[in-house]
Amino acid sequence: MAAVLTTVLLLGMGAQFVSTQTGSEPTTDLATLAAIPSTGPRTLPIELRGVHVTMGLASLPGKLDEYLDLERDGLTALELDVKDENGEIGFITPAVPRLAVSIGAAREYYAAAETAKRVHGRGVYLIGRLVVFEDPVLSRARPDLAVRRSDGSVWRDAAGLGWTNPYDRRVWKYNVDVAVAAAKAGFDEVMFDYVRFPSDGDVENAVYRSGRSLARRQVMPAFLRYARNRLEPFGVRISAAVFGLSAARDLGVGQIPRMMAPYVDTVYAMTYPSLFGAGELGLQDPSLAPGATVSRALRRFELALRGRDALVVPWVQDFSFSVPYGLDEVRAQIDAARISGAKGYMLWNAEGLYTDGALEPAS
């Protein structure tokens, strides 16, 4: 497992690898919920073929159009960061929580409604990725909402980043308020990422202020249930990104796909071969067997989610780590996803550089 967590640390999202009182239970702003009547979720593409785009890339003149031009190569979905690993929010609208604006988390990387309109004008499905509990900005500005150390200081992971307390309902409300802002702007789906406890660093000394009303494995399903209740009136789908190994065993970070599935439309499994250590899934070196790795990982999700309605979509490794990856390795993962019956796939490259030919429809 150490090898897996070391890799996680280096990959960013794609890297997705507890007694004191918390805040009061978040309440739903009925006026806000009534602001936009639900018209039902936008129709999903027959096959999701998408790419990850950071808010920084989206801020560059003409860059978003370059990604949308991939529609000619087969692109059907675009995942744009709404809130990222740095705790920044990509846009400012009246619906963005005031706290986010006051602490400098909300930035004007892109105009949300205009961007959604542009994406839809190209016939592309728009997913907003929202990093939840890893949040250096909020944890620094509001230590009372942060994961702490025994001396009361803010706990930080191996990369020096602060996290917010997954037990604290005020943290739930803050993040779902951001999700509501994305839904109002026209995003078709909100994908919650880092919806888990920390996995690296001095985790044994992390202190979580908690009323102890929930066991660790119950926290993420409860958060997603709250998010679904808040977002349902806006006709937006919700989803969660989880570790590729989370369906095989309990990793201790609160990601139990079967418990999370009732509250999401889609589970995005991060099945990057580079995230799997030697011997995982019965493979001597998963990074050298990209197709088999994805196939075996998705089989675990199929078994774990049997009887649940949530779709499964894998994140595909479109970057090189310990082993150079090109079109053959990327396509091996995509072929495995298609054979498994997945709804599609999403390409991940932290630099936003994608392999030519990887988005081609199935022949």
Side-chain angles (χ1 to χ4, degrees):
M1 193 60 186
V4 176
L5 295 183
T6 298
T7 304
V8 163
L9 194 56
L10 296 172
L11 296 179
M13 165 231 176
Q16 281 216 88
F17 211 171
V18 246
S19 358
T20 319
Q21 296 178 346
T22 62
S24 58
E25 182 75 24
T27 57
T28 301
D29 183 342
L30 296 179
T32 297
L33 290 180
I36 298 180
S38 171
T39 57
R42 184 180 174 88
T43 302
L44 277 171
I46 294 173
E47 181 180 58
L48 286 167
R49 297 188 293 273
V51 299
H52 159 69
V53 179
T54 67
M55 57 184 69
L57 287 170
S59 73
L60 300 176
K63 196 66 177 178
L64 186 63
D65 289 322
E66 289 182 22
Y67 287 111
L68 291 175
D69 285 343
L70 293 173
E71 183 266 337
R72 294 192 288 255
D73 300 322
L75 182 83
T76 63
L78 186 143
E79 177 268 287
L80 175 60
D81 280 354
V82 165
K83 178 171 174 273
D84 67 10
E85 297 91 337
N86 297 315
E88 291 189 338
I89 297 161
F91 55 84
I92 298 177
T93 69
V96 169
R98 288 193 295 271
L99 175 58
V101 177
S102 67
I103 64 177
R107 309 285 295 277
E108 294 182 308
Y109 282 99
Y110 58 87
E114 178 184 317
T115 296
K117 184 176 181 180
R118 188 186 313 174
V119 173
H120 292 152
R122 299 291 291 270
V124 173
Y125 183 79
L126 181 60
I127 303 168
R129 172 173 169 261
L130 195 158
V131 172
V132 185
F133 296 114
E134 180 178 282
D135 194 327
V137 176
L138 184 59
S139 62
R140 180 173 59 248
R142 290 287 304 273
D144 58 311
L145 303 180
V147 178
R148 310 284 279 278
R149 301 184 68 85
S150 58
D151 63 3
S153 62
V154 174
W155 179 91
R156 290 181 172 82
D157 63 19
L161 302 176
W163 285 62
T164 50
N165 185 0
Y167 287 98
D168 198 314
R169 270 61 169 179
R170 295 171 296 177
V171 174
W172 294 12
K173 184 178 186 302
Y174 176 83
N175 282 281
V176 177
D177 282 350
V178 176
V180 167
K184 284 185 172 185
F187 282 75
D188 301 311
E189 178 177 321
V190 175
M191 177 199 298
F192 292 107
D193 196 7
Y194 287 77
V195 55
R196 60 177 176 84
F197 289 85
S199 64
D200 60 80
D202 189 17
V203 293
E204 61 271 16
N205 288 316
V207 176
Y208 302 89
R209 298 174 181 269
S210 167
R212 301 291 181 183
S213 58
L214 293 175
R216 177 178 283 229
R217 68 197 334 254
Q218 296 174 316
V219 174
M220 302 310 153
F223 166 74
L224 292 170
R225 181 174 63 243
Y226 166 70
R228 175 170 282 285
N229 289 338
R230 288 278 314 276
L231 289 165
E232 189 171 17
F234 298 96
V236 63
R237 287 186 177 85
I238 72 168
S239 54
V242 300
F243 280 135
L245 269 176
S246 62
R249 64 172 182 268
D250 187 344
L251 300 176
V253 295
Q255 287 188 347
I256 312 294
R258 185 167 183 82
M259 295 176 66
M260 298 165 74
Y263 311 111
V264 298
D265 298 290
T266 305
V267 173
Y268 288 90
M270 294 182 294
T271 56
Y272 315 120
S274 290
L275 286 186
F276 295 89
E280 295 285 5
L281 304 174
L283 296 167
Q284 183 175 356
D285 188 343
S287 63
L288 293 176
T293 300
V294 171
S295 179
R296 295 185 187 193
L298 290 180
R299 175 61 177 161
R300 269 54 171 198
F301 278 91
E302 179 186 349
L303 294 172
L305 299 182
R306 183 167 290 170
R308 303 298 198 209
D309 293 330
L311 299 170
V312 176
V313 174
W315 277 102
V316 164
Q317 178 177 331
D318 193 5
F319 59 88
S320 296
F321 189 64
S322 58
V323 174
Y325 267 35
L327 182 57
D328 288 345
E329 289 77 15
V330 173
R331 278 186 171 166
Q333 297 171 77
I334 293 168
D335 289 344
R338 285 173 171 155
I339 292 170
S340 77
K343 181 61 178 175
Y345 58 91
M346 302 292 292
L347 302 180
W348 176 272
N349 183 302
E351 296 180 354
L353 303 173
Y354 298 103
T355 301
D356 290 341
L359 292 167
E360 289 183 0
S363 56

